[in-house]
Amino acid sequence: MSLKKLSDIRILAIHQSSDLYGSDRSFLTALQALKEAGVEISVVLPMEGPLSKEIEDSGFNICYQESGYLRKSILKNPIEFMFSSIKTAYNYNKKYKDFDLIYINTVVCFSAMLALIFTKKQKYIHVREIPTGFLMIFFRLLLKMTGAKLIFNSIATQSAFKLKGEVVYNGVKGQTSVVNVRSNDFKLRLLIVGRINSWKGHALLLEALSNIENPVHLKIVGNTIAGQENIEKELIEYAKDNVETKGHNIEFCGFTENVSEYYKWCDYLVVPSIHPEPFGRVAIEALSFGKPVIGSDAGGLAEIVKNNINGHTFEIGSMNALIKVIENLENIDSKKYKELSGKSLEIFKINFSESKYRSSMKSIIKNNCLH
């Protein structure tokens, strides 16, 4: 594609969720950045939701495509899924003819990626996941077949796929310029934010707290996807029977579109994922508030959290290592905590600001679409 100016470019942007979790917010920010560049954008989402309202408020056109996304629940009937995916891919292929550039956010958009194989339009896939086992082999092959240019959300994600592309760190708005001090509350204030599922480490953190004597106040912000409510129910029961009985306060706060008050409240954000995080957007959100992060030492988190500089890291999946980190927090005096908070802000501003993310996304379009 060779166009004289950005206003000539019509983009179709496709995403697999209508929630407002990490990849959803990053998708919205990317759209807003491209809109600032002057391109015309239409959006495809699976359904109405919090994200669709934000996108509409930003002035984008939205259409809805319910099928064609890789979900564990759908894969229980693989034959039906394949027929549905092929039909959806055919519809996408027809839709692509009306656009100059296709931007797909996350590899979960299976049918949309499948349709890319049959179009010569300019195409991008923003890779925000690190699959394992067979799924990694499958997605790596599919990404190659699409012929799309790839954008990765971290060096860890690109290294896992072993494919060429550009690394663009997610970015969020700066929230404060004030270095924090520890709360005067009797209990250490910990926060965990994000989707509740089997690998985000909620169970690991609760089990660790059940083995810690010094009292902790933990707020859990987020919920499960439909069909996995049993995970949250089991966590609530475990917390009541095994953690709160040790003197800890555990609050399940549900999902909220505005997490600001929770970041302001906490002393530390905890990201205890038991599988490598492709990035870790909630970690940079915490840094933007000057709050240090406790995180697993693998995946994208290792590119965000520097041990004893802007937080503390522990061996991924190790409950004993997590216990040791939390217990040592009681030994951190106010001077050291202020240093951690100050470095959190500094590292955020240098590497993870929203302005840097927007600029990087706009540059990719300009550099590759205007010849």
Side-chain angles (χ1 to χ4, degrees):
M1 176 177 62
S2 179
L3 299 171
K4 294 181 179 180
K5 52 186 179 179
L6 286 171
S7 58
D8 291 334
I9 301 173
R10 301 189 67 223
I11 296 178
L12 181 66
I14 303 164
H15 184 53
Q16 53 85 23
S17 166
S18 295
D19 292 322
L20 275 176
Y21 286 99
S23 65
D24 312 309
R25 292 183 182 276
S26 294
F27 176 66
L28 176 60
T29 304
L31 295 182
Q32 292 168 339
L34 297 178
K35 183 180 180 180
E36 289 174 0
V39 300
E40 181 182 339
I41 304 173
S42 295
V43 179
V44 179
L45 296 177
M47 64 191 75
E48 293 184 349
L51 177 61
S52 63
K53 183 179 184 303
E54 292 285 339
I55 288 176
E56 286 178 349
D57 290 345
S58 296
F60 299 105
N61 296 319
I62 305 178
C63 64
Y64 297 97
Q65 175 59 57
E66 295 182 5
S67 61
Y69 310 96
L70 276 174
R71 319 271 193 208
K72 286 184 178 180
S73 57
I74 295 175
L75 291 176
K76 292 178 181 178
N77 192 333
I79 296 176
E80 180 180 335
F81 171 72
M82 285 307 300
F83 275 111
S84 173
S85 296
I86 292 171
K87 180 181 178 180
T88 304
Y90 175 75
N91 291 333
Y92 269 124
N93 187 255
K94 291 193 295 182
K95 184 181 290 288
Y96 290 169
K97 295 176 182 178
D98 296 328
F99 296 88
D100 304 298
L101 184 149
I102 315 302
Y103 171 72
I104 297 176
N105 193 58
T106 85
V107 299
V108 177
C109 303
F110 174 66
S111 291
M113 289 198 299
L114 194 63
L116 289 183
I117 299 172
F118 306 101
T119 182
K120 294 182 179 180
K121 297 295 180 73
Q122 189 80 279
K123 41 196 172 181
Y124 292 86
I125 299 174
H126 208 138
V127 184
R128 301 182 184 274
E129 301 89 351
I130 301 181
T132 57
F134 170 77
L135 281 178
M136 173 57 81
I137 297 171
F138 172 79
F139 279 121
R140 192 167 184 270
L141 176 61
L142 180 58
L143 288 172
K144 284 184 175 181
M145 292 174 63
T146 65
K149 294 177 180 177
L150 305 180
I151 305 170
F152 297 94
N153 62 352
S154 68
I155 296 171
T157 303
Q158 184 180 31
S159 297
F161 276 92
K162 299 178 182 178
L163 295 172
K164 293 181 179 180
E166 299 192 51
V167 174
V168 177
Y169 286 137
N170 295 330
V172 299
K173 290 181 179 179
Q175 301 296 331
T176 183
S177 59
V178 178
V179 175
N180 294 287
V181 296
R182 267 282 307 275
S183 66
N184 294 321
D185 197 349
F186 173 63
K187 296 182 178 181
L188 182 71
R189 296 178 177 182
L190 300 182
L191 174 68
I192 182 169
V193 176
R195 179 76 74 187
I196 296 176
N197 58 32
S198 60
W199 68 273
K200 285 291 187 179
H202 295 78
L204 179 72
L205 178 56
L206 289 175
E207 188 175 358
L209 292 179
S210 72
N211 290 278
I212 292 174
E213 291 186 6
N214 290 332
V216 168
H217 189 169
L218 170 66
K219 292 189 178 185
I220 299 172
V221 177
N223 55 18
T224 61
I225 64 172
Q228 295 186 4
E229 292 84 0
N230 63 300
I231 296 176
E232 184 174 0
K233 182 179 179 182
E234 290 171 4
L235 290 173
I236 292 172
E237 291 175 354
Y238 182 88
K240 182 179 179 181
D241 296 339
N242 300 281
V243 187
E244 292 182 338
T245 54
K246 301 292 179 66
H248 304 297
N249 283 50
I250 311 297
E251 290 185 54
F252 287 81
C253 304
F255 170 78
T256 177
E257 294 182 18
N258 185 3
V259 193
S260 298
E261 293 306 313
Y262 293 103
Y263 285 124
K264 293 175 184 176
W265 167 86
C266 75
D267 296 316
Y268 297 87
L269 175 79
V270 188
V271 190
S273 308
I274 61 175
H275 297 304
E277 286 276 357
F279 181 69
R281 180 184 167 100
V282 294
I284 65 170
E285 287 179 351
L287 298 185
S288 77
F289 283 87
K291 296 304 175 79
V293 178
I294 300 168
S296 308
D297 62 351
L301 276 178
E303 298 165 47
I304 300 171
V305 186
K306 306 302 178 184
N307 195 40
N308 292 319
I309 296 177
N310 64 342
H312 307 282
T313 60
F314 65 95
E315 181 184 353
I316 189 167
S318 171
M319 183 183 69
N320 290 333
L322 179 56
I323 290 172
K324 185 176 180 180
V325 167
I326 295 175
E327 288 181 335
N328 285 341
L329 297 181
E330 295 294 336
N331 300 321
I332 294 176
D333 59 22
S334 58
K335 181 181 178 181
K336 176 60 178 176
Y337 185 84
K338 286 181 71 174
E339 290 176 359
L340 290 169
S341 176
K343 278 295 183 182
S344 296
L345 282 172
E346 180 182 332
I347 290 173
F348 164 75
K349 291 175 181 177
I350 293 172
N351 296 318
F352 307 113
S353 69
E354 186 181 81
S355 60
K356 185 170 185 177
Y357 176 62
R358 286 173 178 257
S359 176
S360 297
M361 292 301 296
K362 284 189 284 189
S363 293
I364 289 174
I365 296 300
K366 288 180 180 178
N367 294 339
N368 290 288
C369 296
L370 301 181
H371 304 297

